[in-house]
Amino acid sequence: SKDVTSSIVLIDKENGGHGSTINAGLKVAKGKYFRVLDADDRLSSEALGRHLEFLATTNSDIVFTNTIHDLSIPSKLVDDKKYEFMIPHKEYEFDSLCEENYGFPGYGVVLSTSSVKTEKLKKSGCELPEKCFYDDIVMNYYMTKASDTAVLDPVSLYYYYLGRSGQSLSKASY
């Protein structure tokens, strides 16, 4: 088993926002898969262990997981399973998942649900806008562009914190 500290890289840079941080991380990333965790969100330790085991056994370009919406008001956790139309652990050709003249059913590729192959993401030309909200929509595009195959690992991995005052997803920010 590899020492996890050899996988950690400290990047000391000027604050350029969410997109800038992802751009900097992708430049130094060397792992098989790339995944983003926002500063105000968290991952389930148990689900992360299971997800890492699955990532070691798959070769899909993008691996989807489930999320939990961690609501501030009211204080509760809500399951968010965007990919229930997929059979767990079955690899799909990405295009076969898309609906004619539309694309993916429902939300499609979403940053909080996706682990994407690092090399394919780099080759896609991924570069996010800096110092702005909703750069994750651009990241969703690049993850889609980088993916020829997809699979669902049905772990509830990502806890997406919602409802905090001043958050980009608040009514005031919209």
Side-chain angles (χ1 to χ4, degrees), residues 13 16-21 23-24 27 127-132 135:
K13 60 180 271 327
H18 187 254
S20 174
T21 302
N23 291 340
K27 283 181 185 167
E127 185 157 346
L128 303 186
E130 301 188 3
K131 298 183 180 179
C132 68
D135 55 290

Side-chain angles (χ1 to χ4, degrees), residues 44-159:
S44 160
S45 297
E46 178 191 343
L48 178 60
R50 292 194 321 255
H51 187 57
L52 291 173
E53 288 174 8
F54 180 71
L55 291 178
T57 67
T58 189
N59 203 34
S60 285
D61 296 333
I62 193 164
V63 181
F64 299 119
T65 60
N66 296 320
T67 59
I68 304 286
H69 287 181
D70 186 351
L71 304 178
S72 172
I73 300 171
S75 178
K76 67 178 182 176
L77 302 175
V78 178
D79 285 331
D80 182 24
K81 298 178 180 180
K82 293 181 177 8
Y83 309 103
E84 288 186 304
F85 60 91
M86 296 174 70
I87 297 169
H89 301 137
K90 175 185 174 185
E91 184 175 81
Y92 292 84
E93 292 296 319
F94 191 89
D95 289 346
S96 74
L97 296 171
C98 297
E99 297 174 351
E100 186 175 353
N101 300 320
Y102 174 72
F104 238 58
Y107 283 89
V109 175
V110 177
L111 184 63
S112 62
T113 66
S114 305
S115 298
V116 63
K117 274 193 176 170
T118 304
E119 271 311 306
K120 291 200 79 170
L121 188 59
K122 287 181 179 188
K123 287 179 183 175
S124 76
C126 182
E127 185 157 346
L128 303 186
E130 301 188 3
K131 298 183 180 179
C132 68
F133 285 145
Y134 306 114
D135 55 290
D136 59 322
I137 302 302
V138 179
M139 183 68 175
N140 296 345
Y141 161 77
Y142 281 112
M143 291 189 298
T144 301
K145 182 179 176 185
S147 301
D148 294 314
T149 56
V151 67
L152 170 64
D153 182 17
V155 295
S156 294
L157 177 60
Y158 197 103
Y159 280 71

Side-chain angles (χ1 to χ4, degrees), residues 9-20:
V9 177
L10 174 65
I11 301 171
D12 186 8
K13 60 180 271 327
E14 181 181 333
N15 184 355
H18 187 254
S20 174

Side-chain angles (χ1 to χ4, degrees), residues 32-51:
K32 180 178 176 184
Y33 286 93
F34 186 82
R35 181 146 191 150
V36 175
L37 174 64
D38 288 351
D40 60 346
D41 298 331
R42 64 188 170 94
L43 300 177
S44 160
S45 297
E46 178 191 343
L48 178 60
R50 292 194 321 255
H51 187 57

